Amino acid sequence: MPRLDHKPVPRIDTVYSLSLGELAEEPKRSCPEPNRTIRRKMLTTAFQHYSSEWMGGMQSWKEATAMLENGWPEGAERLRALVGKLSTQLPQAKSIRRKVTWTGDGDEICRDRLQAGQIEQCWRTMRRSPFVAPQTVAIETNWGGHYQQSAEELFWQGAAAAVLTDILEEAGYRVELYANRVSERRGQRHCTRLKVKEADMPMRLDGVAAVLCHAGIFRTFGFLCIEQAEFDVNDWAHGHGSELSRQEAEVLNGGIESVHIGTMSTQSQAITVVRQFIEKGDRQ
């Protein structure tokens, strides 16, 4: 169940934590009294108040719910194209997948090698290649953006995290993926913390694209999560948004090795983040 934690880290009044599966149920939940009026407005007239362009082309809660449940194929295709572009420009992420190794002892003997006289290399075993990085990595990314940002700019905010998750999973890493949004008003701070992907979940690019990259999902379901703040989020504005800091995220994820992705709004910025991480790992 989603939970509201009070002061889990300094300077954060509340953290509303939930999983991707729980996000779909948010329209059915109540919220603290200061935000019940805007919640009713969001659920009934959000698509009359906000423009379709600002919502990334969405025109109804029905469309938003369907995308959250079924994914965003068009967004996934854009991300795959970015992965393809980067694959020709970057070193491969260091693989930690198990590989076949032939030795003088092991798990299974190869009779062909034995009969050929390869005594010292006739046993088959599976070993991981040496690596420096941990097998589980947490990616912490900012979710959504401010009011004046376009749907296209919000796409690139999520793209770096989605692409990096795909690259690391392909190399054999277990990836946890978190989307964070801190809302502030009059000195009070509320953090929405969405666990987009568990470490043992397979990567589903269309689902991740929908949540992280589509403006309409953040500006509907994400806004409902912001309304779980115990202070008035200022009606349609939903407070001033900011990042969860690296230090705050490390406390909340229990000290798992993490990649922190801050605010961005362009393809070049997304590519730079992925490039820096992969090249850093290649030098280790």
Side-chain angles (χ1 to χ4, degrees), residues 100-111:
V100 175
T101 301
W102 296 100
T103 62
D105 56 48
D107 304 317
E108 181 182 344
I109 195 168
C110 175
R111 296 190 180 280

Side-chain angles (χ1 to χ4, degrees), residues 85-143:
K85 179 178 180 179
L86 288 172
S87 67
T88 64
Q89 302 176 7
L90 301 178
Q92 295 295 308
K94 284 188 175 180
S95 176
I96 60 170
R97 292 189 182 280
R98 294 171 64 86
K99 297 181 179 180
V100 175
T101 301
W102 296 100
T103 62
D105 56 48
D107 304 317
E108 181 182 344
I109 195 168
C110 175
R111 296 190 180 280
D112 291 339
R113 284 179 172 243
L114 180 62
Q115 292 173 359
Q118 296 176 286
I119 306 298
E120 296 182 356
Q121 291 186 325
C122 66
W123 286 90
R124 179 180 182 273
T125 189
M126 297 292 288
R127 294 180 179 175
R128 291 193 183 276
S129 299
F131 63 92
V132 176
Q135 294 185 46
T136 299
V137 177
I139 295 180
E140 302 276 355
T141 188
N142 199 33
W143 191 23

Side-chain angles (χ1 to χ4, degrees), residues 162-176:
V163 167
L164 194 52
T165 299
D166 190 59
I167 290 173
L168 290 175
E169 292 251 310
E170 184 64 26
Y173 294 86
R174 291 158 47 90
V175 178
E176 289 185 351

